[in-house]
């Protein structure tokens, strides 16, 4: 329903590609499932567009978590993250 779409959009608004982490993957999976359950038959054209945009954002956020490019700072970034993880 449109309410389910709005709820999924609200959850997505709380997430940002710059700050999303693997800890958010369960929430993203829930939002993805919620979007998949929304039937296009009861949506307006604008709502269908919003649903597609939300699905695209979910995909981009999942990519931000799991797909990373190697850069000149990758090794240093990994070492720093490892140090923080072992320090806590």
């Amino acid at each position: 329903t449109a309410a389910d779409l709005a709820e999924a959009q609200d959850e997505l608004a709380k997430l940002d590609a710059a700050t999303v982490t693997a800890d958010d993957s369960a929430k993203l999976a829930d939002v993805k499932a919620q979007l998949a359950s929304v039937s296009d038959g009861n949506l307006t054209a604008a709502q269908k567009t919003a649903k597609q945009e939300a699905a695209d954002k979910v995909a981009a956020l999942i990519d931000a978590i799991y797909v990373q490019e190697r850069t000149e700072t990758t090794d240093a970034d990994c070492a720093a993250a490892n140090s923080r993880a072992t320090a806590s």
Side-chain angles (χ1 to χ4, degrees):
T1 66
D4 293 328
L5 175 58
E7 185 178 328
Q9 289 173 307
D10 288 345
E11 288 300 314
L12 278 177
K14 299 173 188 174
L15 300 170
D16 180 77
T19 58
V20 73
T21 67
D23 293 337
D24 297 313
S25 60
K27 183 181 288 187
L28 284 169
D30 290 344
V31 172
K32 183 178 177 182
Q34 188 172 19
L35 287 170
S37 73
V38 174
S39 171
D40 286 353
N42 296 327
L43 300 179
T44 65
Q47 290 169 327
K48 289 177 186 178
T49 299
K51 178 183 172 186
Q52 183 59 53
E53 289 171 352
D56 292 345
K57 183 173 180 182
V58 168
L61 290 170
I62 290 171
D63 284 351
I65 294 171
Y66 296 107
V67 179
Q68 299 175 3
E69 293 182 25
R70 185 167 190 72
T71 68
E72 59 199 33
T73 65
T74 298
D75 292 333
D77 294 342
C78 289
N82 188 40
S83 293
R84 286 191 303 273
T86 57
S88 34

